[in-house]
Amino acid sequence: MSEAVSLTSSAELAERDARILDFEDSWFTSSVPKEQAIMEHFSLTSTRYYQHLNLLIDTPEALAYKPLLVKRLRRMRAQRQAARSARRLHG
């Protein structure tokens, strides 16, 4: 699993993690599709990027760095999970 990315265990955010949060906060200003921008900026597939982002937003370092963004992403994730659960129960 050579593409796997690890999160920092220190009190500060790793540079790449900070760049990911900065990108997530402003990707919509890019003139290219998000998936293409992810590949160009981070050399990650969009799947790996989102896996890493989901781990990242659960860290206190990410919350301290970009609290509004992290809270919004957590809320959106929870809404998607609730919608999936509802579909399974009622589908």
Side-chain angles (χ1 to χ4, degrees):
M1 201 184 243
S2 62
E3 280 188 74
V5 285
S6 62
L7 296 175
T8 180
S9 61
S10 70
E12 292 185 13
L13 213 51
E15 181 183 337
R16 184 174 191 181
D17 293 342
R19 286 183 23 235
I20 286 174
L21 291 174
D22 291 340
F23 172 81
E24 193 62 29
D25 208 16
S26 64
W27 67 266
F28 48 86
T29 61
S30 177
S31 60
V32 298
K34 187 174 183 182
E35 289 74 21
Q36 182 181 344
I38 289 169
M39 184 59 78
E40 290 173 0
H41 289 359
F42 305 108
S43 298
L44 292 172
T45 64
S46 57
T47 301
R48 291 282 183 208
Y49 171 85
Y50 288 115
Q51 288 171 342
H52 185 72
L53 181 62
N54 273 305
L55 291 173
L56 179 60
I57 64 173
D58 288 331
T59 65
E61 296 84 9
L63 183 61
Y65 182 70
K66 291 254 186 201
L68 294 177
L69 173 69
V70 169
K71 288 177 185 178
R72 179 171 50 87
L73 292 174
R74 287 177 179 178
R75 187 174 55 251
M76 290 169 54
R77 179 178 62 187
Q79 290 170 345
R80 285 191 306 270
Q81 289 171 339
R84 278 194 302 272
S85 293
R87 281 195 303 270
R88 284 188 201 121
L89 290 174
H90 304 299

